[in-house]
Coordinates of all heavy atoms in Angstrom, one line a residue:
D889 N -47.7 -26.7 -53.1 CA -48.4 -25.9 -54.1 C -47.5 -24.7 -54.4 O -46.4 -24.8 -55.0 CB -49.7 -25.5 -53.7 CG -50.6 -24.9 -54.9 OD1 -50.0 -24.9 -56.1 OD2 -51.7 -24.4 -54.6
T890 N -48.0 -23.5 -54.2 CA -47.1 -22.4 -54.5 C -45.9 -22.2 -53.7 O -45.9 -22.3 -52.6 CB -48.0 -21.1 -54.5 OG1 -49.3 -21.2 -55.2 CG2 -47.4 -20.0 -54.8
M891 N -44.9 -21.8 -54.4 CA -43.6 -21.5 -53.8 C -43.2 -20.1 -54.1 O -43.4 -19.6 -55.3 CB -42.5 -22.4 -54.3 CG -42.8 -24.0 -54.0 SD -41.4 -25.1 -54.5 CE -40.5 -25.0 -53.1
R892 N -42.8 -19.4 -53.2 CA -42.6 -18.0 -53.2 C -41.1 -17.4 -52.9 O -40.6 -18.2 -52.1 CB -43.5 -17.2 -52.4 CG -44.9 -17.4 -52.7 CD -45.9 -16.7 -51.9 NE -47.3 -16.9 -52.1 CZ -48.0 -18.0 -51.7 NH1 -47.4 -19.0 -51.0 NH2 -49.3 -18.2 -52.0
W893 N -40.8 -16.4 -53.4 CA -39.5 -15.7 -53.0 C -39.8 -14.4 -52.5 O -40.6 -13.7 -53.1 CB -38.5 -15.6 -54.2 CG -37.7 -16.8 -54.6 CD1 -38.2 -17.7 -55.6 CD2 -36.7 -17.4 -54.0 NE1 -37.2 -18.8 -55.7 CE2 -36.3 -18.6 -54.6 CE3 -35.9 -17.0 -53.0 CZ2 -35.3 -19.4 -54.4 CZ3 -34.8 -17.9 -52.6 CH2 -34.5 -18.9 -53.3
Y894 N -39.2 -14.1 -51.4 CA -39.3 -12.7 -50.8 C -37.9 -12.3 -50.6 O -36.9 -12.9 -50.6 CB -39.9 -12.8 -49.4 CG -41.4 -13.0 -49.5 CD1 -42.0 -14.3 -49.7 CD2 -42.4 -11.9 -49.4 CE1 -43.4 -14.4 -49.7 CE2 -43.7 -12.2 -49.4 CZ -44.2 -13.4 -49.5 OH -45.6 -13.6 -49.6
R895 N -37.7 -10.9 -50.2 CA -36.5 -10.3 -50.0 C -36.6 -9.3 -48.9 O -37.7 -8.6 -48.8 CB -35.8 -9.8 -51.2 CG -36.4 -8.6 -51.9 CD -35.7 -8.3 -53.2 NE -36.3 -7.2 -53.8 CZ -36.0 -6.5 -55.1 NH1 -35.1 -7.3 -55.7 NH2 -36.5 -5.5 -55.6
Q896 N -35.6 -9.1 -48.2 CA -35.5 -7.9 -47.2 C -34.2 -7.4 -47.3 O -33.2 -7.9 -47.0 CB -35.8 -8.5 -45.8 CG -36.0 -7.4 -44.8 CD -36.5 -8.0 -43.5 OE1 -36.5 -9.2 -43.2 NE2 -37.2 -7.1 -42.7
A897 N -34.2 -5.9 -47.6 CA -33.1 -5.1 -47.6 C -32.9 -4.6 -46.2 O -33.9 -4.3 -45.5 CB -33.2 -4.0 -48.7
P898 N -31.7 -4.0 -45.8 CA -31.5 -3.4 -44.5 C -32.4 -2.3 -44.3 O -32.5 -1.4 -45.1 CB -30.1 -3.1 -44.6 CG -29.4 -4.0 -45.6 CD -30.4 -4.2 -46.5
G899 N -33.0 -2.3 -43.2 CA -33.9 -1.1 -42.8 C -35.3 -1.1 -43.5 O -36.0 -0.2 -43.3
K900 N -35.5 -2.2 -44.3 CA -36.8 -2.2 -45.0 C -37.6 -3.4 -44.7 O -37.1 -4.4 -44.1 CB -36.6 -2.3 -46.5 CG -35.9 -0.9 -47.0 CD -35.8 -0.8 -48.5 CE -35.3 0.4 -49.0 NZ -35.3 0.5 -50.5
Q901 N -38.8 -3.4 -44.9 CA -39.8 -4.6 -44.6 C -39.5 -5.6 -45.8 O -39.1 -5.4 -46.8 CB -41.2 -4.0 -44.8 CG -41.6 -3.3 -43.6 CD -43.1 -3.0 -43.6 OE1 -43.8 -3.1 -44.5 NE2 -43.7 -2.9 -42.3
R902 N -39.8 -6.9 -45.3 CA -39.7 -8.0 -46.3 C -40.8 -7.7 -47.5 O -41.9 -7.3 -47.1 CB -40.0 -9.2 -45.6 CG -39.7 -10.5 -46.4 CD -39.7 -11.7 -45.6 NE -38.7 -11.6 -44.5 CZ -38.5 -12.7 -43.7 NH1 -39.2 -13.8 -43.9 NH2 -37.5 -12.7 -42.6
E903 N -40.4 -8.0 -48.6 CA -41.2 -7.8 -49.8 C -41.2 -9.0 -50.7 O -40.3 -9.6 -50.8 CB -40.8 -6.6 -50.5 CG -39.3 -6.6 -51.2 CD -39.1 -5.3 -52.2 OE1 -39.8 -4.4 -52.2 OE2 -38.1 -5.4 -52.8
Y904 N -42.3 -9.0 -51.3 CA -42.6 -10.1 -52.3 C -41.8 -10.0 -53.5 O -41.8 -8.8 -54.1 CB -44.2 -10.3 -52.7 CG -44.6 -11.0 -53.9 CD1 -44.7 -12.4 -53.6 CD2 -44.7 -10.5 -55.1 CE1 -45.1 -13.1 -54.7 CE2 -45.2 -11.2 -56.1 CZ -45.3 -12.5 -55.9 OH -45.7 -13.3 -57.1
V905 N -41.3 -11.1 -54.0 CA -40.6 -11.0 -55.3 C -41.1 -11.8 -56.4 O -41.4 -11.1 -57.4 CB -39.0 -11.6 -55.1 CG1 -38.3 -11.6 -56.4 CG2 -38.3 -10.7 -54.1
A906 N -41.5 -13.0 -56.2 CA -42.1 -13.9 -57.2 C -42.7 -15.0 -56.6 O -42.4 -15.5 -55.5 CB -41.0 -14.2 -58.4
S907 N -43.6 -15.7 -57.4 CA -44.1 -16.9 -57.0 C -44.5 -17.8 -58.1 O -44.5 -17.3 -59.2 CB -45.4 -16.7 -56.2 OG -46.3 -16.0 -56.9
I908 N -44.5 -19.1 -57.8 CA -44.8 -20.1 -59.0 C -45.7 -21.2 -58.4 O -45.4 -21.8 -57.3 CB -43.6 -20.6 -59.7 CG1 -43.9 -21.4 -60.7 CG2 -42.7 -21.3 -58.6 CD1 -42.7 -21.8 -61.7
S909 N -46.7 -21.5 -59.1 CA -47.6 -22.6 -58.7 C -47.1 -24.0 -59.1 O -46.0 -24.1 -59.8 CB -49.0 -22.4 -59.4 OG -48.9 -22.7 -60.7
R910 N -47.6 -25.0 -58.6 CA -47.2 -26.4 -58.9 C -47.3 -26.6 -60.4 O -46.4 -27.3 -61.0 CB -47.9 -27.4 -58.1 CG -47.4 -28.8 -58.3 CD -48.0 -29.8 -57.3 NE -47.4 -31.2 -57.5 CZ -46.1 -31.4 -57.1 NH1 -45.5 -30.6 -56.3 NH2 -45.7 -32.6 -57.2
T911 N -48.3 -26.0 -61.0 CA -48.4 -26.2 -62.5 C -47.7 -25.1 -63.4 O -47.6 -25.3 -64.5 CB -49.8 -26.0 -62.9 OG1 -50.4 -24.7 -62.4 CG2 -50.7 -27.1 -62.1
G912 N -46.8 -24.4 -62.7 CA -45.9 -23.5 -63.4 C -46.3 -22.1 -63.7 O -45.6 -21.3 -64.3
L913 N -47.6 -21.7 -63.1 CA -48.0 -20.3 -63.3 C -47.2 -19.4 -62.3 O -47.0 -19.5 -61.1 CB -49.4 -20.3 -62.9 CG -50.4 -20.9 -63.9 CD1 -51.9 -21.0 -63.3 CD2 -50.3 -20.4 -65.3
S914 N -46.6 -18.4 -63.0 CA -45.7 -17.5 -62.2 C -46.2 -16.1 -62.1 O -47.0 -15.7 -62.9 CB -44.3 -17.5 -62.9 OG -44.4 -17.0 -64.2
N915 N -45.8 -15.5 -61.2 CA -46.1 -14.0 -61.0 C -44.9 -13.3 -60.3 O -44.1 -13.9 -59.6 CB -47.3 -14.0 -59.9 CG -48.0 -12.5 -60.0 OD1 -48.0 -12.0 -61.0 ND2 -48.3 -12.1 -58.8
Y916 N -44.7 -12.0 -60.7 CA -43.5 -11.2 -60.4 C -44.0 -9.9 -59.7 O -45.0 -9.3 -60.1 CB -42.7 -11.0 -61.6 CG -42.2 -12.3 -62.1 CD1 -42.8 -12.8 -63.1 CD2 -40.9 -12.8 -61.6 CE1 -42.3 -14.1 -63.7 CE2 -40.5 -14.0 -62.1 CZ -41.2 -14.6 -63.3 OH -40.6 -15.9 -63.8
A917 N -43.2 -9.4 -58.9 CA -43.2 -8.0 -58.5 C -42.9 -7.1 -59.7 O -42.0 -7.5 -60.5 CB -42.4 -7.7 -57.2
G918 N -43.5 -6.0 -59.6 CA -43.1 -5.1 -60.8 C -41.7 -4.5 -60.8 O -41.1 -4.5 -61.9
T919 N -40.9 -4.6 -59.7 CA -39.5 -4.2 -59.6 C -38.6 -5.2 -60.3 O -37.5 -4.9 -60.6 CB -39.2 -4.0 -58.2 OG1 -39.4 -5.1 -57.4 CG2 -39.8 -2.6 -57.7
V920 N -39.1 -6.4 -60.5 CA -38.2 -7.5 -60.9 C -38.7 -8.1 -62.3 O -37.9 -8.8 -62.9 CB -37.9 -8.7 -60.0 CG1 -37.4 -8.0 -58.6 CG2 -39.2 -9.5 -59.7
K921 N -39.9 -7.8 -62.7 CA -40.4 -8.4 -63.9 C -39.6 -8.0 -65.0 O -39.2 -6.8 -65.3 CB -41.8 -7.7 -64.1 CG -42.7 -8.6 -65.0 CD -44.2 -8.3 -64.9 CE -45.1 -9.2 -65.7 NZ -46.5 -8.8 -65.6
G922 N -39.3 -9.0 -65.9 CA -38.4 -8.9 -67.0 C -37.0 -9.2 -66.7 O -36.2 -9.2 -67.7
R923 N -36.6 -9.2 -65.5 CA -35.2 -9.3 -65.2 C -35.1 -10.7 -64.4 O -34.0 -11.3 -64.5 CB -34.6 -8.3 -64.2 CG -34.7 -6.9 -64.9 CD -34.0 -5.7 -64.1 NE -34.7 -5.6 -62.8 CZ -34.1 -5.7 -61.6 NH1 -32.8 -6.2 -61.6 NH2 -34.8 -5.5 -60.5
F924 N -35.9 -11.0 -63.6 CA -35.9 -12.4 -62.9 C -36.8 -13.4 -63.4 O -37.9 -13.0 -63.9 CB -36.4 -12.0 -61.4 CG -35.4 -11.2 -60.6 CD1 -34.4 -10.4 -61.2 CD2 -35.7 -11.2 -59.2 CE1 -33.5 -9.7 -60.4 CE2 -34.8 -10.3 -58.4 CZ -33.8 -9.6 -58.9
T925 N -36.5 -14.6 -63.2 CA -37.3 -15.7 -63.7 C -37.5 -16.7 -62.6 O -36.3 -17.3 -62.2 CB -36.7 -16.4 -64.9 OG1 -36.7 -15.4 -66.0 CG2 -37.6 -17.5 -65.5
I926 N -38.6 -17.1 -62.3 CA -38.8 -18.1 -61.2 C -39.2 -19.4 -62.0 O -39.8 -19.4 -63.0 CB -39.9 -17.7 -60.2 CG1 -40.0 -18.6 -59.0 CG2 -41.3 -17.6 -60.9 CD1 -40.8 -18.2 -58.0

């Protein structure tokens, strides 16, 4: 079903980036919305 991307910068906690359902519904973190495409 849903597949997700996370990221972790040095010294920071892992954070959510984006996700997409099997049917193609996508969601993005505000920091990447408009720049990243899943």
Side-chain angles (χ1 to χ4, degrees):
D889 193 5
T890 303
M891 303 182 81
R892 300 175 179 87
W893 285 100
Y894 287 79
R895 67 186 182 186
Q896 187 167 19
K900 295 188 175 182
Q901 289 191 332
R902 192 170 296 188
E903 64 175 6
Y904 167 84
V905 175
S907 59
I908 186 166
S909 72
R910 185 168 182 82
T911 58
L913 292 176
S914 59
N915 192 41
Y916 299 90
T919 51
V920 307
K921 198 168 187 178
R923 300 187 298 120
F924 290 11
T925 302
I926 190 170

